[in-house]
Amino acid sequence: MLDITTLGYVAAFCTTCSFVPQVLHILKTGDTASISLAMYSLFVFGVFLWFVYGVAMVDWPIIVANAITLLLACMILVLKIRDLFRTRNAIKAKA
């Protein structure tokens, strides 16, 4: 029988791995146009809070999953912000 901690790790693995294809796609194509800055900003903040909660509760599946997810989501957010600045600078250069 699957114990609750193992269930937590399996859930953490699945949700964390779901971000890998998005990060790889963005790194490969450089395209962040379809990424919502507001959504990813709020998501990163929420994952950070889940990480803090996991640390406070000493709940390792929550800590591990949210630490990795936070890293991956921050990568996407940073790339999105970088692209926004590049677009704005390109528009200013044309004007």
Side-chain angles (χ1 to χ4, degrees):
M1 180 161 261
L2 194 66
D3 71 270
I4 198 70
T5 301
T6 303
L7 179 67
Y9 278 114
V10 170
F13 178 81
C14 291
T15 57
T16 299
C17 286
S18 70
F19 279 86
V20 173
Q22 184 70 59
V23 172
L24 293 177
H25 175 76
I26 290 171
L27 291 174
K28 183 178 178 180
T29 66
D31 180 21
T32 62
S34 62
I35 302 293
S36 166
L37 178 61
M39 179 271 181
Y40 259 89
S41 298
L42 189 57
F43 180 75
V44 165
F45 183 64
V47 171
F48 172 73
L49 293 177
W50 272 114
F51 173 76
V52 171
Y53 173 82
V55 169
M57 300 300 291
V58 192
D59 190 326
W60 285 103
I62 293 175
I63 294 168
V64 171
N66 286 290
I68 296 168
T69 302
L70 186 60
L71 175 68
L72 295 170
C74 280
M75 288 175 64
I76 294 171
L77 183 60
V78 166
L79 292 171
K80 176 63 177 182
I81 292 168
R82 178 201 67 182
D83 289 350
L84 285 174
F85 280 114
R86 283 183 178 173
T87 302
R88 287 183 185 163
N89 288 339
I91 291 170
K92 285 181 183 178
K94 287 182 180 180

